[in-house]
Amino acid sequence: MDNDFGWEKNVRKVVPYTPGEQPRETDIIKLNTNENPYPPCKEVRELLDGFDTYKMRLYPDPDAGVLVSALADFYRVDKEQVFVGVGSDDVISMIFMTFFNSDKPILFPDITYSFYDVWAEVYRIPYKRIPLDDDFRINADDYICENGGIIFPNPNAPTGVLESVEMIESILKENKDSVVVIDEAYIDFGGKSCLELVDKYDNLLVVQTFSKSRSMAGMRIGFAIGSKKLIRYLNDVKFSINSYTMNPLTQICGAAAVKDADHFNECTKKIIDTREKAKKELSELGFDFPDSSSNFIFARHKTMPAAEIFQKLKDRKIFVRYWNKPRISEYLRITIGTDEQMERLYEALREIIAL
Ligand SMILES: *Cc1c(COP(=O)(O)O)cnc(C)c1O
């Protein structure tokens, strides 16, 4: 138990984020943490094989210059508009620390990425959860009020629901005194990015990650693109904490992955095709779900409780994600795997639901 006497009264006590399970077994079908089922591009393999370990003596480039340049070229922005971090979790955490320092609450949806409230708590940032509507949509008007910053994913997680660039712009127009962060972890699976707005709004940050669409969750690469001013402030904080966060192998592999647009397009297309097939299959099995523009589907069964399906799938070594939380305890979040993995999922569901 907590002892609030002595040194323990001065501890920064937090309830940490709970990541999805990473089971050790290899014979499971892992559809629980939105990883990409396909490997990164061949160039990454070659760079790893050919890496001169003697270089490990040296500190890495603190600016991650090769990776920043590759991203700036790919997204057609200036290098001074790109900030990279060790996964977008690192990037977003830095954003919270750098920009969310108001007495007014930051705003994010009630159903969203469950790391946001954890960062708000750890940095002692006041926050307010804005309820999504009954269709899990964001209502722009709810974000037109006094606030200390705004953040949400687009498409949202764990719902998969995509909002339009126009709707997001309507929020930006009314919030010129706040930093607005759009977490585009899943944008490459068919959504339209807000990157087109960064030159128009100097208070907008768009965050993306290599963990989902670029098959590199294990390498830990995330980035933010925004105005030069925002990026400068972010770098000032980063260089006040730890300059050498990204190792040299990650920097060169990340740059190579950005340059291989063909591999990227091929893998994201396969996942989108499999997802569209999954929508049909899951409907036939008696599930309903908000329309997904991501690499997962947030589905609820008409008759069988989600907790029961979750357990029965697990017994068959198929892992999906389940939260016993208000408003979403009837849903399962199912990551889109390969076609073969998805066939095994449908077979298992047919047995469980006994159609
Ligand atoms: C996966 C995810 C992230 C974090 O990804 P990293 O692996 O840290 O790059 C951030 N936001 C959302 C909404 C995510 O789903």
Side-chain angles (χ1 to χ4, degrees), residues 174-215:
E174 302 297 330
N175 281 285
K176 295 204 170 142
D177 295 332
S178 301
V179 172
V180 177
V181 184
I182 307 300
D183 179 356
E184 293 189 336
Y186 303 101
I187 200 68
D188 296 325
F189 301 107
K192 188 154 181 256
S193 172
C194 286
L195 278 171
E196 63 181 65
L197 299 177
V198 294
D199 287 330
K200 201 161 158 194
Y201 297 91
D202 68 357
N203 58 326
L204 168 65
L205 275 171
V206 175
V207 179
Q208 294 190 10
T209 173
F210 283 44
S211 298
K212 282 68 183 233
S213 58
R214 295 187 186 276
S215 305

Side-chain angles (χ1 to χ4, degrees), residues 34 86-90 92 113 116 153 157 183 185-186 208-212 217 220-222:
N34 296 344
V86 183
S88 56
D89 287 341
D90 178 41
I92 301 167
Y113 189 38
Y116 299 156
D183 179 356
Y186 303 101
Q208 294 190 10
T209 173
F210 283 44
S211 298
K212 282 68 183 233
R220 313 303 302 128
I221 306 174

Side-chain angles (χ1 to χ4, degrees), residues 278-308:
K279 289 177 185 173
K280 287 198 199 99
E281 294 279 351
L282 291 173
S283 302
E284 279 165 24
L285 283 158
F287 287 90
D288 65 66
F289 40 83
D291 194 29
S292 169
S293 302
S294 58
N295 69 337
F296 56 83
I297 293 178
F298 197 51
R300 158 178 79 172
H301 195 259
K302 286 196 178 77
T303 54
M304 193 176 280
E308 189 179 336

Side-chain angles (χ1 to χ4, degrees), residues 114-126:
S114 52
F115 226 136
Y116 299 156
D117 57 349
V118 175
W119 286 311
E121 293 281 349
V122 77
Y123 297 133
R124 297 174 185 163
I125 301 162

